[in-house]
Each structure stands twice: as C-alpha cells, then as structure tokens.
Amino acid sequence: MATIPTPPAEPQDSPDGYVGLESDRAERLARERGWSTVRSLAPGTIITMEYRVGRLNFEVREGRVTRAWKG
C-alpha cells in the first residue's frame, strides 16, 4: 500500500488575532508568520469548502478584517 503523505505543519498562530486589523497589515503579518496562502474575501463571497493546510482566510469589510479562519 502507498503511504499517506504527512501535510506540513501549520503556523502556531491564532486567526482571532487578525480580526480588527487593516487587511494589508493582516496579510503581511500572516505571511511573516508562515502562512503559505492568505486569501482576503468580501463578506458573502461564495467559496469552496475544501480545507487547505497553510491557508488563512480573511473576510474583509471596509478595509478591515472582520473574520479569520484556517483552511
């Protein structure tokens, strides 16, 4: 049987710490902390639900992060 690959570890970082930050600053900070993909989305944006290790999602309203989650 083929072995199941082990995904890389995610940064030890809490998404909640980005809420309230300006989106540009939040994106820069997330990349500095090791997130491989950072995605900013408008409220209500339709997205797929697949989980991606190393991805951090931001919901941005009026230039500020209102919600942040992994995957």
Side-chain angles (χ1 to χ4, degrees):
M1 259 182 11
T3 59
I4 298 173
T6 303
E10 289 184 330
Q12 296 298 308
D13 189 26
S14 173
D16 294 336
Y18 295 92
V19 175
L21 297 178
E22 291 181 357
S23 62
D24 290 343
R25 180 169 180 246
E27 286 185 38
R28 192 170 42 254
L29 187 58
R31 291 183 198 289
E32 289 172 3
R33 291 181 177 172
W35 293 99
S36 58
T37 304
V38 180
R39 180 167 69 166
S40 291
L41 307 160
T45 300
I46 297 172
I47 59 173
T48 60
M49 295 303 293
E50 86 279 1
Y51 187 88
R52 295 277 185 125
V53 173
R55 179 169 64 190
L56 188 61
N57 300 289
F58 294 142
E59 183 175 278
V60 177
R61 184 184 307 252
E62 297 178 8
R64 291 208 176 265
V65 176
T66 57
R67 181 176 166 231
W69 69 98
K70 296 178 182 182

Coordinates of all heavy atoms in Angstrom, one line a residue:
M1 N 0.8 -1.2 0.0 CA 0.0 0.0 0.0 C 0.9 1.2 0.0 O 1.9 1.3 0.6 CB -0.9 0.0 1.2 CG -2.3 -0.4 0.9 SD -3.5 -0.4 2.3 CE -2.9 0.4 3.6
A2 N 0.4 2.3 -0.6 CA 1.1 3.5 -0.7 C 1.0 4.2 0.7 O -0.1 4.1 1.4 CB 0.5 4.4 -1.8
T3 N 2.0 4.9 1.1 CA 1.9 5.7 2.3 C 1.1 7.0 2.1 O 1.1 7.5 1.0 CB 3.3 6.0 2.8 OG1 4.0 6.8 1.9 CG2 4.1 4.8 3.1
I4 N 0.5 7.4 3.2 CA -0.2 8.6 3.1 C 0.7 9.8 3.5 O 1.4 9.7 4.5 CB -1.4 8.6 4.1 CG1 -2.4 7.5 3.7 CG2 -2.1 10.0 4.2 CD1 -3.5 7.2 4.7
P5 N 0.8 10.8 2.6 CA 1.8 11.8 2.9 C 1.4 12.6 4.2 O 0.2 12.8 4.4 CB 1.8 12.7 1.7 CG 0.5 12.4 1.0 CD 0.1 11.0 1.4
T6 N 2.3 13.1 4.9 CA 2.1 13.9 6.1 C 2.1 15.4 5.6 O 3.1 15.9 5.1 CB 3.1 13.7 7.1 OG1 3.2 12.3 7.5 CG2 2.9 14.6 8.4
P7 N 1.0 16.1 5.8 CA 1.0 17.5 5.4 C 1.9 18.3 6.3 O 2.2 18.0 7.4 CB -0.5 17.9 5.6 CG -1.0 17.0 6.6 CD -0.3 15.7 6.4
P8 N 2.4 19.4 5.7 CA 3.3 20.3 6.5 C 2.5 20.9 7.7 O 1.3 21.1 7.7 CB 3.7 21.4 5.5 CG 2.7 21.4 4.5 CD 2.2 20.0 4.4
A9 N 3.3 21.2 8.7 CA 2.6 21.8 9.9 C 2.2 23.2 9.6 O 2.8 24.0 8.9 CB 3.6 21.8 11.1
E10 N 1.1 23.6 10.2 CA 0.6 25.0 10.1 C 1.3 25.9 11.1 O 1.7 25.4 12.1 CB -0.9 25.1 10.3 CG -1.7 24.5 9.2 CD -3.2 24.6 9.5 OE1 -3.7 24.7 10.6 OE2 -3.9 24.7 8.5
P11 N 1.4 27.2 10.8 CA 2.0 28.1 11.8 C 1.2 28.0 13.2 O 0.0 27.8 13.2 CB 1.8 29.4 11.2 CG 1.7 29.2 9.7 CD 1.0 27.9 9.6
Q12 N 1.9 28.1 14.3 CA 1.2 28.2 15.6 C 0.8 29.6 15.8 O 1.4 30.4 16.4 CB 2.2 27.7 16.7 CG 2.6 26.3 16.5 CD 1.5 25.3 16.7 OE1 0.7 25.4 17.6 NE2 1.3 24.4 15.7
D13 N -0.4 29.9 15.2 CA -0.9 31.2 15.2 C -2.4 31.2 15.3 O -3.1 30.3 14.7 CB -0.5 31.9 13.8 CG -0.8 33.3 13.7 OD1 -0.8 34.0 14.7 OD2 -0.9 33.8 12.5
S14 N -3.0 32.1 16.0 CA -4.5 32.1 16.2 C -5.1 33.1 15.2 O -4.7 34.3 15.1 CB -4.8 32.6 17.6 OG -6.2 32.8 17.7
P15 N -6.0 32.6 14.3 CA -6.7 33.5 13.4 C -7.4 34.7 14.1 O -7.5 35.8 13.5 CB -7.7 32.6 12.7 CG -7.1 31.2 12.8 CD -6.4 31.2 14.1
D16 N -7.9 34.5 15.3 CA -8.6 35.5 16.0 C -7.8 36.8 16.2 O -8.3 37.9 16.3 CB -9.1 35.1 17.4 CG -10.1 34.0 17.3 OD1 -10.8 33.9 16.2 OD2 -10.3 33.2 18.2
G17 N -6.4 36.7 16.2 CA -5.6 37.8 16.4 C -5.5 38.8 15.2 O -5.0 39.9 15.3
Y18 N -6.1 38.4 14.1 CA -6.1 39.3 12.9 C -7.4 40.1 12.8 O -7.4 41.1 12.1 CB -6.0 38.4 11.6 CG -4.7 37.7 11.6 CD1 -4.5 36.4 12.0 CD2 -3.6 38.3 11.0 CE1 -3.3 35.8 12.0 CE2 -2.3 37.7 10.9 CZ -2.2 36.4 11.4 OH -1.0 35.8 11.4
V19 N -8.4 39.7 13.5 CA -9.7 40.5 13.5 C -9.5 41.9 14.0 O -8.9 42.1 15.0 CB -10.8 39.7 14.3 CG1 -12.1 40.6 14.3 CG2 -11.0 38.4 13.7
G20 N -9.9 42.8 13.2 CA -9.8 44.3 13.5 C -8.6 45.0 12.9 O -8.6 46.2 12.8
L21 N -7.7 44.2 12.3 CA -6.5 44.8 11.7 C -6.9 45.2 10.3 O -7.8 44.7 9.7 CB -5.4 43.8 11.6 CG -4.8 43.2 12.8 CD1 -3.7 42.2 12.5 CD2 -4.2 44.4 13.7
E22 N -6.2 46.2 9.7 CA -6.3 46.6 8.3 C -5.9 45.4 7.5 O -5.0 44.7 7.8 CB -5.5 47.8 8.0 CG -6.0 49.1 8.7 CD -5.1 50.3 8.3 OE1 -4.1 50.2 7.6 OE2 -5.5 51.4 8.8
S23 N -6.6 45.2 6.4 CA -6.4 44.0 5.6 C -4.9 43.9 5.1 O -4.4 42.8 5.1 CB -7.4 43.9 4.5 OG -7.2 45.0 3.6
D24 N -4.4 45.0 4.6 CA -3.0 44.9 4.1 C -2.0 44.5 5.2 O -1.1 43.7 5.0 CB -2.5 46.2 3.5 CG -3.3 46.6 2.2 OD1 -3.8 45.7 1.6 OD2 -3.2 47.8 1.8
R25 N -2.2 45.1 6.4 CA -1.3 44.7 7.5 C -1.5 43.3 7.9 O -0.5 42.6 8.2 CB -1.6 45.7 8.7 CG -0.7 45.4 9.9 CD -0.8 46.5 10.9 NE 0.1 46.1 12.0 CZ -0.3 45.8 13.2 NH1 -1.6 45.9 13.5 NH2 0.5 45.5 14.2
A26 N -2.7 42.8 8.0 CA -3.0 41.4 8.4 C -2.4 40.5 7.4 O -1.8 39.5 7.8 CB -4.5 41.2 8.4
E27 N -2.5 40.7 6.1 CA -2.0 39.8 5.1 C -0.4 39.8 5.2 O 0.1 38.7 5.2 CB -2.3 40.3 3.7 CG -3.8 40.0 3.3 CD -4.1 40.3 1.9 OE1 -3.2 40.1 1.0 OE2 -5.2 40.8 1.6
R28 N 0.2 40.9 5.4 CA 1.7 40.9 5.5 C 2.1 40.2 6.8 O 3.0 39.4 6.8 CB 2.1 42.4 5.6 CG 3.6 42.6 5.5 CD 3.9 44.1 5.3 NE 3.2 45.1 6.2 CZ 2.2 45.9 5.7 NH1 1.9 45.9 4.5 NH2 1.6 46.7 6.6
L29 N 1.4 40.4 7.9 CA 1.7 39.7 9.1 C 1.5 38.2 9.0 O 2.4 37.4 9.5 CB 0.8 40.3 10.3 CG 1.1 39.9 11.7 CD1 2.5 40.2 12.1 CD2 0.1 40.5 12.6
A30 N 0.5 37.8 8.4 CA 0.2 36.4 8.2 C 1.3 35.7 7.4 O 1.8 34.6 7.8 CB -1.1 36.1 7.5
R31 N 1.8 36.3 6.4 CA 2.9 35.8 5.6 C 4.2 35.7 6.4 O 4.9 34.7 6.3 CB 3.1 36.5 4.3 CG 1.9 36.4 3.3 CD 2.1 37.1 2.0 NE 0.9 37.3 1.3 CZ 0.2 36.3 0.7 NH1 0.6 35.1 0.7 NH2 -0.9 36.6 0.0
E32 N 4.4 36.7 7.2 CA 5.6 36.7 8.0 C 5.6 35.6 9.0 O 6.6 35.1 9.4 CB 5.7 38.1 8.7 CG 6.1 39.2 7.9 CD 6.1 40.6 8.6 OE1 5.8 40.6 9.8 OE2 6.3 41.6 7.9
R33 N 4.4 35.3 9.5 CA 4.2 34.2 10.5 C 4.2 32.8 9.9 O 4.0 31.8 10.6 CB 3.0 34.5 11.3 CG 3.1 35.7 12.2 CD 1.9 35.9 13.0 NE 2.0 37.0 13.9 CZ 1.0 37.6 14.6 NH1 -0.2 37.1 14.5 NH2 1.3 38.6 15.4
G34 N 4.3 32.7 8.5 CA 4.5 31.4 7.9 C 3.3 30.8 7.2 O 3.3 29.7 6.7
W35 N 2.2 31.6 7.0 CA 1.1 31.1 6.2 C 1.5 31.1 4.8 O 1.9 32.1 4.2 CB -0.2 31.9 6.5 CG -0.7 31.8 7.9 CD1 -0.5 32.7 8.9 CD2 -1.5 30.8 8.4 NE1 -1.1 32.2 10.0 CE2 -1.7 31.0 9.8 CE3 -2.0 29.6 7.9 CZ2 -2.4 30.2 10.6 CZ3 -2.7 28.8 8.7 CH2 -3.0 29.0 10.0
S36 N 1.3 30.0 4.1 CA 1.7 29.9 2.7 C 0.7 30.6 1.8 O 1.1 31.1 0.7 CB 1.9 28.4 2.3 OG 0.7 27.7 2.5
T37 N -0.5 30.6 2.1 CA -1.6 31.2 1.3 C -2.4 32.1 2.2 O -2.9 31.6 3.3 CB -2.5 30.2 0.6 OG1 -1.7 29.3 -0.1 CG2 -3.5 30.8 -0.3
V38 N -2.7 33.3 1.8 CA -3.5 34.2 2.5 C -4.6 34.7 1.6 O -4.2 35.2 0.5 CB -2.7 35.4 3.1 CG1 -3.7 36.3 3.9 CG2 -1.6 34.9 4.0
R39 N -5.8 34.6 1.9 CA -6.9 34.9 1.0 C -7.9 35.9 1.7 O -8.4 35.6 2.7 CB -7.6 33.6 0.6 CG -8.8 33.8 -0.3 CD -9.2 32.4 -0.9 NE -9.8 31.6 0.1 CZ -10.5 30.5 -0.2 NH1 -10.7 30.1 -1.5 NH2 -11.1 29.7 0.7
S40 N -8.1 37.1 1.0 CA -9.0 38.1 1.5 C -10.3 38.0 0.7 O -10.2 38.0 -0.5 CB -8.4 39.5 1.4 OG -7.3 39.6 2.3
L41 N -11.4 38.0 1.4 CA -12.7 37.8 0.7 C -13.7 38.8 1.2 O -13.6 39.2 2.4 CB -13.2 36.4 1.1 CG -12.3 35.2 0.8 CD1 -12.8 34.0 1.6 CD2 -12.3 34.9 -0.7
A42 N -14.5 39.3 0.3 CA -15.6 40.2 0.7 C -16.7 39.4 1.4 O -16.8 38.2 1.2 CB -16.2 40.8 -0.6
P43 N -17.4 40.0 2.3 CA -18.5 39.3 3.0 C -19.5 38.7 2.0 O -19.8 39.3 1.0 CB -19.2 40.4 3.8 CG -18.2 41.5 4.0 CD -17.3 41.4 2.7
G44 N -19.8 37.4 2.3 CA -20.8 36.7 1.5 C -20.2 36.1 0.2 O -20.9 35.5 -0.6
T45 N -18.9 36.2 0.0 CA -18.3 35.6 -1.1 C -18.5 34.1 -1.1 O -18.3 33.4 -0.1 CB -16.7 35.9 -1.2 OG1 -16.5 37.3 -1.2 CG2 -16.1 35.2 -2.3
I46 N -18.9 33.5 -2.3 CA -19.1 32.1 -2.4 C -17.7 31.5 -2.6 O -17.0 31.8 -3.5 CB -20.0 31.8 -3.5 CG1 -21.4 32.4 -3.3 CG2 -20.1 30.3 -3.8 CD1 -22.3 32.3 -4.4
I47 N -17.4 30.5 -1.7 CA -16.1 29.8 -1.8 C -16.3 28.3 -1.7 O -17.3 27.8 -1.2 CB -15.1 30.3 -0.7 CG1 -15.7 30.0 0.7 CG2 -14.7 31.7 -0.9 CD1 -14.7 30.3 1.8
T48 N -15.3 27.5 -2.2 CA -15.4 26.1 -2.0 C -15.0 25.8 -0.5 O -14.4 26.6 0.2 CB -14.4 25.4 -2.9 OG1 -13.1 25.8 -2.7 CG2 -14.8 25.6 -4.4
M49 N -15.4 24.6 0.0 CA -15.2 24.3 1.4 C -14.0 23.3 1.6 O -13.9 22.8 2.7 CB -16.5 23.7 1.9 CG -17.7 24.6 1.9 SD -17.3 26.2 2.9 CE -17.2 25.5 4.5
E50 N -13.2 23.1 0.6 CA -12.0 22.2 0.8 C -11.1 22.9 1.8 O -10.9 24.1 1.8 CB -11.3 21.8 -0.5 CG -10.3 22.7 -1.0 CD -10.8 24.0 -1.7 OE1 -12.0 24.1 -1.9 OE2 -10.0 24.8 -2.1
Y51 N -10.5 22.0 2.6 CA -9.5 22.5 3.6 C -8.1 22.5 3.0 O -7.7 21.4 2.5 CB -9.6 21.7 4.9 CG -8.7 22.2 6.0 CD1 -9.3 23.1 6.9 CD2 -7.4 21.9 6.2 CE1 -8.5 23.7 7.9 CE2 -6.6 22.4 7.2 CZ -7.2 23.3 8.1 OH -6.5 23.8 9.1
R52 N -7.4 23.6 3.1 CA -6.0 23.6 2.6 C -5.1 23.9 3.7 O -5.2 25.0 4.4 CB -5.9 24.8 1.5 CG -6.6 24.6 0.3 CD -5.8 23.7 -0.6 NE -6.5 23.6 -1.9 CZ -5.9 23.9 -3.1 NH1 -4.7 24.3 -3.1 NH2 -6.6 23.7 -4.2
V53 N -4.2 23.0 4.0 CA -3.2 23.2 5.1 C -2.4 24.5 4.7 O -1.9 24.6 3.6 CB -2.3 22.0 5.2 CG1 -1.2 22.3 6.2 CG2 -3.2 20.8 5.7
G54 N -2.2 25.3 5.7 CA -1.3 26.5 5.4 C -2.0 27.7 4.8 O -1.4 28.7 4.6
R55 N -3.4 27.6 4.7 CA -4.1 28.7 4.1 C -4.9 29.4 5.2 O -5.5 28.8 6.1 CB -5.1 28.3 3.1 CG -5.9 29.5 2.5 CD -6.7 29.1 1.3 NE -7.8 28.1 1.6 CZ -8.4 27.5 0.6 NH1 -8.2 27.7 -0.6 NH2 -9.4 26.6 1.0
L56 N -4.8 30.8 5.2 CA -5.5 31.6 6.2 C -6.5 32.5 5.4 O -6.1 33.1 4.4 CB -4.6 32.5 7.0 CG -5.2 33.2 8.2 CD1 -5.8 32.3 9.2 CD2 -4.1 34.1 8.8
N57 N -7.7 32.5 5.8 CA -8.8 33.2 5.1 C -9.2 34.4 5.9 O -9.3 34.3 7.1 CB -10.0 32.4 4.9 CG -9.7 31.2 4.0 OD1 -9.5 31.3 2.8 ND2 -9.7 30.0 4.7
F58 N -9.4 35.6 5.2 CA -9.9 36.8 5.9 C -11.2 37.2 5.2 O -11.2 37.3 4.0 CB -8.9 37.9 5.8 CG -7.6 37.7 6.5 CD1 -6.4 38.2 5.9 CD2 -7.5 37.1 7.7 CE1 -5.2 38.0 6.5 CE2 -6.3 37.0 8.4 CZ -5.1 37.4 7.8
E59 N -12.2 37.6 6.0 CA -13.3 38.3 5.5 C -13.0 39.7 5.8 O -12.8 40.1 6.9 CB -14.6 37.8 6.2 CG -15.8 38.5 5.6 CD -17.1 37.9 6.2 OE1 -17.5 36.8 5.8 OE2 -17.6 38.5 7.2
V60 N -13.1 40.6 4.7 CA -12.7 42.0 4.9 C -13.9 42.9 4.5 O -14.5 42.7 3.5 CB -11.5 42.3 3.9 CG1 -11.2 43.8 4.0 CG2 -10.3 41.4 4.3
R61 N -14.2 43.8 5.4 CA -15.2 44.8 5.2 C -14.7 46.2 5.5 O -14.1 46.4 6.6 CB -16.4 44.5 6.2 CG -17.6 45.4 6.0 CD -18.6 45.1 7.1 NE -19.0 43.7 7.1 CZ -20.1 43.2 6.6 NH1 -21.1 44.0 6.1 NH2 -20.4 41.9 6.7
E62 N -14.8 47.0 4.5 CA -14.3 48.4 4.6 C -12.8 48.4 5.0 O -12.4 49.3 5.9 CB -15.1 49.2 5.6 CG -16.6 49.4 5.2 CD -17.5 50.1 6.1 OE1 -16.9 50.7 7.1 OE2 -18.7 50.2 5.9
G63 N -12.0 47.5 4.5 CA -10.6 47.6 4.6 C -10.1 46.9 5.9 O -8.9 46.9 6.2
R64 N -11.0 46.3 6.7 CA -10.6 45.7 8.0 C -11.0 44.2 8.0 O -12.1 43.9 7.5 CB -11.2 46.4 9.2 CG -10.6 47.8 9.4 CD -10.6 48.2 10.8 NE -9.9 49.5 11.0 CZ -8.7 49.6 11.4 NH1 -8.0 48.6 11.6 NH2 -8.1 50.8 11.5
V65 N -10.2 43.4 8.7 CA -10.6 42.0 8.8 C -11.7 41.9 9.9 O -11.5 42.4 11.0 CB -9.3 41.2 9.3 CG1 -9.7 39.7 9.5 CG2 -8.2 41.3 8.2
T66 N -12.8 41.3 9.5 CA -13.9 41.1 10.4 C -14.0 39.7 10.8 O -14.7 39.4 11.8 CB -15.3 41.5 9.7 OG1 -15.4 40.8 8.5 CG2 -15.3 43.0 9.4
R67 N -13.4 38.7 10.1 CA -13.4 37.3 10.5 C -12.1 36.7 9.9 O -11.7 37.1 8.8 CB -14.6 36.7 9.9 CG -14.8 35.2 10.2 CD -16.1 34.7 9.6 NE -16.1 33.3 9.6 CZ -16.5 32.5 8.6 NH1 -16.8 33.1 7.5 NH2 -16.4 31.2 8.7
A68 N -11.6 35.7 10.6 CA -10.4 35.0 10.1 C -10.5 33.5 10.4 O -11.0 33.2 11.5 CB -9.1 35.6 10.6
W69 N -10.2 32.6 9.5 CA -10.2 31.2 9.8 C -9.2 30.5 8.9 O -8.8 30.9 7.9 CB -11.6 30.7 9.5 CG -12.1 30.6 8.1 CD1 -12.1 29.6 7.3 CD2 -12.7 31.7 7.4 NE1 -12.6 29.9 6.1 CE2 -13.0 31.2 6.1 CE3 -12.9 33.1 7.6 CZ2 -13.5 32.0 5.1 CZ3 -13.5 33.8 6.7 CH2 -13.8 33.3 5.4
K70 N -8.8 29.3 9.4 CA -7.8 28.4 8.7 C -8.5 27.7 7.6 O -9.7 27.4 7.7 CB -7.2 27.4 9.7 CG -6.4 28.0 10.8 CD -5.9 26.9 11.7 CE -5.1 27.5 12.9 NZ -4.6 26.4 13.8
G71 N -7.7 27.3 6.6 CA -8.2 26.3 5.6 C -8.5 26.9 4.3 O -8.9 26.4 3.4

